[in-house]
PDB file of all heavy atoms in Angstrom:
ATOM      1  N   VAL A  73       5.883  23.254 172.537  1.00 86.00           N
ATOM      2  CA  VAL A  73       4.835  23.386 171.528  1.00 86.00           C
ATOM      3  C   VAL A  73       4.004  22.110 171.505  1.00 86.00           C
ATOM      4  O   VAL A  73       4.534  21.009 171.396  1.00 86.00           O
ATOM      5  CB  VAL A  73       5.438  23.647 170.123  1.00 86.00           C
ATOM      6  CG1 VAL A  73       4.340  23.704 169.074  1.00 86.00           C
ATOM      7  CG2 VAL A  73       6.259  24.916 170.119  1.00 86.00           C
ATOM      8  N   SER A  74       2.688  22.266 171.625  1.00 87.00           N
ATOM      9  CA  SER A  74       1.789  21.121 171.529  1.00 87.00           C
ATOM     10  C   SER A  74       0.661  21.466 170.570  1.00 87.00           C
ATOM     11  O   SER A  74       0.465  22.626 170.219  1.00 87.00           O
ATOM     12  CB  SER A  74       1.234  20.741 172.900  1.00 87.00           C
ATOM     13  OG  SER A  74       0.449  21.791 173.411  1.00 87.00           O
ATOM     14  N   MET A  75      -0.053  20.462 170.166  1.00 91.00           N
ATOM     15  CA  MET A  75      -1.162  20.658 169.238  1.00 91.00           C
ATOM     16  C   MET A  75      -2.467  20.238 169.915  1.00 91.00           C
ATOM     17  O   MET A  75      -2.465  19.527 170.912  1.00 91.00           O
ATOM     18  CB  MET A  75      -0.910  19.872 167.957  1.00 91.00           C
ATOM     19  CG  MET A  75       0.306  20.400 167.187  1.00 91.00           C
ATOM     20  SD  MET A  75       0.620  19.512 165.653  1.00 91.00           S
ATOM     21  CE  MET A  75      -0.805  19.972 164.694  1.00 91.00           C
ATOM     22  N   ARG A  76      -3.565  20.647 169.303  1.00 94.00           N
ATOM     23  CA  ARG A  76      -4.891  20.339 169.857  1.00 94.00           C
ATOM     24  C   ARG A  76      -5.177  18.834 169.736  1.00 94.00           C
ATOM     25  O   ARG A  76      -4.530  18.122 168.963  1.00 94.00           O
ATOM     26  CB  ARG A  76      -5.961  21.141 169.129  1.00 94.00           C
ATOM     27  CG  ARG A  76      -6.050  20.800 167.652  1.00 94.00           C
ATOM     28  CD  ARG A  76      -6.959  21.736 166.918  1.00 94.00           C
ATOM     29  NE  ARG A  76      -6.755  21.561 165.479  1.00 94.00           N
ATOM     30  CZ  ARG A  76      -7.347  22.300 164.576  1.00 94.00           C
ATOM     31  NH1 ARG A  76      -8.169  23.259 164.932  1.00 94.00           N
ATOM     32  NH2 ARG A  76      -7.118  22.089 163.303  1.00 94.00           N
ATOM     33  N   PRO A  77      -6.177  18.338 170.444  1.00 96.00           N
ATOM     34  CA  PRO A  77      -6.564  16.932 170.325  1.00 96.00           C
ATOM     35  C   PRO A  77      -6.986  16.591 168.894  1.00 96.00           C
ATOM     36  O   PRO A  77      -7.557  17.427 168.185  1.00 96.00           O
ATOM     37  CB  PRO A  77      -7.747  16.799 171.288  1.00 96.00           C
ATOM     38  CG  PRO A  77      -7.556  17.903 172.274  1.00 96.00           C
ATOM     39  CD  PRO A  77      -6.935  19.034 171.488  1.00 96.00           C
ATOM     40  N   TRP A  78      -6.718  15.361 168.492  1.00 96.00           N
ATOM     41  CA  TRP A  78      -7.011  14.939 167.123  1.00 96.00           C
ATOM     42  C   TRP A  78      -8.496  15.082 166.796  1.00 96.00           C
ATOM     43  O   TRP A  78      -8.854  15.430 165.669  1.00 96.00           O
ATOM     44  CB  TRP A  78      -6.521  13.513 166.866  1.00 96.00           C
ATOM     45  CG  TRP A  78      -7.267  12.443 167.611  1.00 96.00           C
ATOM     46  CD1 TRP A  78      -6.966  11.925 168.836  1.00 96.00           C
ATOM     47  CD2 TRP A  78      -8.458  11.777 167.185  1.00 96.00           C
ATOM     48  NE1 TRP A  78      -7.893  10.986 169.202  1.00 96.00           N
ATOM     49  CE2 TRP A  78      -8.822  10.861 168.199  1.00 96.00           C
ATOM     50  CE3 TRP A  78      -9.256  11.855 166.057  1.00 96.00           C
ATOM     51  CZ2 TRP A  78      -9.940  10.047 168.109  1.00 96.00           C
ATOM     52  CZ3 TRP A  78     -10.373  11.039 165.966  1.00 96.00           C
ATOM     53  CH2 TRP A  78     -10.704  10.142 166.982  1.00 96.00           C
ATOM     54  N   GLU A  79      -9.377  14.850 167.780  1.00 97.00           N
ATOM     55  CA  GLU A  79     -10.818  14.966 167.528  1.00 97.00           C
ATOM     56  C   GLU A  79     -11.189  16.395 167.132  1.00 97.00           C
ATOM     57  O   GLU A  79     -12.017  16.589 166.232  1.00 97.00           O
ATOM     58  CB  GLU A  79     -11.628  14.573 168.779  1.00 97.00           C
ATOM     59  CG  GLU A  79     -11.417  13.150 169.247  1.00 97.00           C
ATOM     60  CD  GLU A  79     -10.361  13.042 170.332  1.00 97.00           C
ATOM     61  OE1 GLU A  79      -9.464  13.907 170.414  1.00 97.00           O
ATOM     62  OE2 GLU A  79     -10.438  12.072 171.106  1.00 97.00           O
ATOM     63  N   ASN A  80     -10.577  17.378 167.783  1.00 97.00           N
ATOM     64  CA  ASN A  80     -10.855  18.773 167.446  1.00 97.00           C
ATOM     65  C   ASN A  80     -10.374  19.100 166.037  1.00 97.00           C
ATOM     66  O   ASN A  80     -11.017  19.854 165.307  1.00 97.00           O
ATOM     67  CB  ASN A  80     -10.187  19.710 168.445  1.00 97.00           C
ATOM     68  CG  ASN A  80     -10.751  19.595 169.845  1.00 97.00           C
ATOM     69  OD1 ASN A  80     -11.604  18.753 170.122  1.00 97.00           O
ATOM     70  ND2 ASN A  80     -10.268  20.407 170.751  1.00 97.00           N
ATOM     71  N   ALA A  81      -9.232  18.558 165.663  1.00 97.00           N
ATOM     72  CA  ALA A  81      -8.697  18.795 164.318  1.00 97.00           C
ATOM     73  C   ALA A  81      -9.610  18.182 163.254  1.00 97.00           C
ATOM     74  O   ALA A  81      -9.868  18.795 162.214  1.00 97.00           O
ATOM     75  CB  ALA A  81      -7.282  18.230 164.208  1.00 97.00           C
ATOM     76  N   VAL A  82     -10.119  16.983 163.511  1.00 97.00           N
ATOM     77  CA  VAL A  82     -11.046  16.341 162.566  1.00 97.00           C
ATOM     78  C   VAL A  82     -12.297  17.196 162.410  1.00 97.00           C
ATOM     79  O   VAL A  82     -12.748  17.462 161.291  1.00 97.00           O
ATOM     80  CB  VAL A  82     -11.408  14.907 163.030  1.00 97.00           C
ATOM     81  CG1 VAL A  82     -12.598  14.357 162.249  1.00 97.00           C
ATOM     82  CG2 VAL A  82     -10.215  13.982 162.869  1.00 97.00           C
ATOM     83  N   GLN A  83     -12.863  17.665 163.531  1.00 97.00           N
ATOM     84  CA  GLN A  83     -14.076  18.481 163.483  1.00 97.00           C
ATOM     85  C   GLN A  83     -13.855  19.810 162.770  1.00 97.00           C
ATOM     86  O   GLN A  83     -14.765  20.338 162.133  1.00 97.00           O
ATOM     87  CB  GLN A  83     -14.609  18.720 164.893  1.00 97.00           C
ATOM     88  CG  GLN A  83     -15.189  17.480 165.541  1.00 97.00           C
ATOM     89  CD  GLN A  83     -16.366  16.908 164.766  1.00 97.00           C
ATOM     90  OE1 GLN A  83     -17.209  17.634 164.259  1.00 97.00           O
ATOM     91  NE2 GLN A  83     -16.405  15.597 164.650  1.00 97.00           N
ATOM     92  N   ALA A  84     -12.654  20.351 162.865  1.00 97.00           N
ATOM     93  CA  ALA A  84     -12.357  21.629 162.218  1.00 97.00           C
ATOM     94  C   ALA A  84     -12.085  21.470 160.728  1.00 97.00           C
ATOM     95  O   ALA A  84     -12.384  22.365 159.941  1.00 97.00           O
ATOM     96  CB  ALA A  84     -11.153  22.289 162.893  1.00 97.00           C
ATOM     97  N   TYR A  85     -11.539  20.341 160.312  1.00 96.00           N
ATOM     98  CA  TYR A  85     -11.083  20.179 158.927  1.00 96.00           C
ATOM     99  C   TYR A  85     -12.055  19.415 158.027  1.00 96.00           C
ATOM    100  O   TYR A  85     -12.327  19.827 156.905  1.00 96.00           O
ATOM    101  CB  TYR A  85      -9.718  19.474 158.923  1.00 96.00           C
ATOM    102  CG  TYR A  85      -9.179  19.225 157.539  1.00 96.00           C
ATOM    103  CD1 TYR A  85      -8.703  20.278 156.766  1.00 96.00           C
ATOM    104  CD2 TYR A  85      -9.165  17.949 156.996  1.00 96.00           C
ATOM    105  CE1 TYR A  85      -8.202  20.065 155.491  1.00 96.00           C
ATOM    106  CE2 TYR A  85      -8.679  17.730 155.711  1.00 96.00           C
ATOM    107  CZ  TYR A  85      -8.204  18.782 154.965  1.00 96.00           C
ATOM    108  OH  TYR A  85      -7.730  18.571 153.706  1.00 96.00           O
ATOM    109  N   VAL A  86     -12.573  18.317 158.504  1.00 96.00           N
ATOM    110  CA  VAL A  86     -13.330  17.404 157.641  1.00 96.00           C
ATOM    111  C   VAL A  86     -14.606  18.004 157.056  1.00 96.00           C
ATOM    112  O   VAL A  86     -14.882  17.806 155.864  1.00 96.00           O
ATOM    113  CB  VAL A  86     -13.607  16.071 158.368  1.00 96.00           C
ATOM    114  CG1 VAL A  86     -14.575  15.196 157.581  1.00 96.00           C
ATOM    115  CG2 VAL A  86     -12.295  15.328 158.599  1.00 96.00           C
ATOM    116  N   PRO A  87     -15.425  18.740 157.810  1.00 94.00           N
ATOM    117  CA  PRO A  87     -16.642  19.284 157.190  1.00 94.00           C
ATOM    118  C   PRO A  87     -16.351  20.158 155.962  1.00 94.00           C
ATOM    119  O   PRO A  87     -17.038  20.052 154.947  1.00 94.00           O
ATOM    120  CB  PRO A  87     -17.291  20.093 158.312  1.00 94.00           C
ATOM    121  CG  PRO A  87     -16.824  19.428 159.558  1.00 94.00           C
ATOM    122  CD  PRO A  87     -15.403  19.025 159.259  1.00 94.00           C
ATOM    123  N   GLY A  88     -15.341  21.003 156.031  1.00 93.00           N
ATOM    124  CA  GLY A  88     -14.979  21.824 154.875  1.00 93.00           C
ATOM    125  C   GLY A  88     -14.471  20.996 153.715  1.00 93.00           C
ATOM    126  O   GLY A  88     -14.777  21.274 152.554  1.00 93.00           O
ATOM    127  N   LEU A  89     -13.686  19.961 154.028  1.00 94.00           N
ATOM    128  CA  LEU A  89     -13.190  19.073 152.973  1.00 94.00           C
ATOM    129  C   LEU A  89     -14.345  18.333 152.303  1.00 94.00           C
ATOM    130  O   LEU A  89     -14.395  18.227 151.074  1.00 94.00           O
ATOM    131  CB  LEU A  89     -12.191  18.071 153.555  1.00 94.00           C
ATOM    132  CG  LEU A  89     -11.656  17.031 152.579  1.00 94.00           C
ATOM    133  CD1 LEU A  89     -10.859  17.697 151.455  1.00 94.00           C
ATOM    134  CD2 LEU A  89     -10.804  16.005 153.303  1.00 94.00           C
ATOM    135  N   ALA A  90     -15.284  17.842 153.108  1.00 93.00           N
ATOM    136  CA  ALA A  90     -16.443  17.144 152.552  1.00 93.00           C
ATOM    137  C   ALA A  90     -17.233  18.053 151.621  1.00 93.00           C
ATOM    138  O   ALA A  90     -17.663  17.647 150.539  1.00 93.00           O
ATOM    139  CB  ALA A  90     -17.333  16.623 153.676  1.00 93.00           C
TER     140      ALA A  90
END
Side-chain angles (χ1 to χ4, degrees):
V73 177
S74 64
M75 295 181 67
R76 62 188 167 184
W78 68 269
E79 299 95 334
N80 294 4
V82 167
Q83 290 299 320
Y85 178 72
V86 171
L89 177 63

